[in-house]
Amino acid sequence: MLTRSDFPEGFLFGTATSAYQIEGHAQGGAGPTHWDSFAATPGNVVRAEDGARACDHYTRYGADLDLVAAAGFDAYRFSTSWARVLPEGRGTPNAEGLDFYDRLVDAMLDRGLKPAVTLYHWELPQPLADQGGWRNGDLPKWFGEFADVIARRLGDRLWSAAPINEPWCVAWLSHFLGQHAPGLRDIRAAARAMHHVLLAHGTAIGAMRSHGMTNLGAVCNFEAALPADDSPAAHAAAARYDAIFNRFFLSGLFRGTYPDLVLEGLAPHLPHGWQDDFATICAPLDWLGLNYYTCKRIGPAGTPWPALEERPGPLPKTQMGWEIYPEGLHQFLSATARDFTGDLPLYVTENGMANDDRITEGSVPDTARIDYLTRHLHSVKAALADGVPVKGYFVWSLLDNYEWALGYEKRFGLVYVDFETLERTPKASWHWMRDLLATPRP
Ligand code: IFM
């Protein structure tokens, strides 16, 4: 059994959620987002589900935060919806929206929880999407204005802040693979989004620093790219996948360059003068967050660049069909510190699994999730033993929630949500986590 004392003094435990996935976007005067239109388009989302009601966290946040505190977590990672705060994307804020986040942050502080905000977790205001969204070169400036609004209202009480969750998803998954809103499959759109998302990050860091905010970071997702076989072609394809998925963002943020393996495909499509933006993109950070779930087996494909495809792998899989590969977390933590961040504090800002959880007589025996979390926490311990400065770990997610294009089918929560009644039931993994966190230090 793992305990707090297996981790260094001061090591932080938290759990994470995001606005559109839990709040209930129809309430409180929020504006339409590109996820609403994406979900309303046949074939994009399982059962065409959207975030209109979600978990109704908008009204139930107090009881939800009670569950975070009762489990013994130190911090709560949440996000602010751009469309709730600025329904037009720019201009006059929605007072109800800002009031909600004000109450939410105070409710965390009342319970002794550290508020760890992410400004953008994917619900782009539709009026900005109508102007090209992440393809538009003005988007970073508009995002900076949003950051300014948040900093003015909440900046005095936030423990940490990161501008954007998972730039790869915002850019590549949504503009090249077409699997998330706005559902584009277009290399030029993808190249622009890849660059603008980093420029928006840097612009927001500048806006928050100008208000004296501290403990600012970035949150990127990582996937171990494993060659599907031993052929040189599979190794080359996996290296391209790794460059697009993992190294592009680290390289941009910490070295002020993009990897050659990405530029070979994207250079002709990047916006004019992109090299001049690194002064903003590389704004110094106080920490880096890594979101980690799985690995992918990559082989070559007879398609245009990047000429690669995912192949099935042999390991046990989660409800998402993702292979369980805990050693990848250790590898990323060590390699990131070694190659990019040095002594900068690292946090695991998301880790967890979707499971086909069922409730029986009031309990949810999600032993597979306990096993997953245990194995990944051991991987964090291995990185710590290597001397990697890992400072904390956040479980994704507190609640079962809206899993984007997969609707409400995939359950990631430590707490089960009945999407008919909205009743919450802590799963066995929540109780396990509470026991782990309750264990006193020796
Ligand atoms: O639910 C998502 C979250 O929004 C971002 N990171 C990955 C999670 C699981 O897919």
Side-chain angles (χ1 to χ4, degrees), residues 21 121-122 165-166 291 293 320 322 350 396 403-404 412:
Q21 292 180 273
H121 198 125
W122 308 352
N165 186 63
E166 300 182 349
N291 294 356
Y293 291 90
M320 297 290 276
W322 295 346
E350 284 184 26
W396 183 270
E403 181 52 28
W404 307 110
F412 272 94

Side-chain angles (χ1 to χ4, degrees), residues 15 17 22 57 65 68 75-78 108 114-116 394 398:
T15 185
T17 62
I22 63 168
H57 177 73
L65 292 178
V68 180
Y76 178 61
R77 181 170 172 252
F78 69 109
M108 288 175 220
K114 292 178 165 49
F394 290 73
L398 172 66

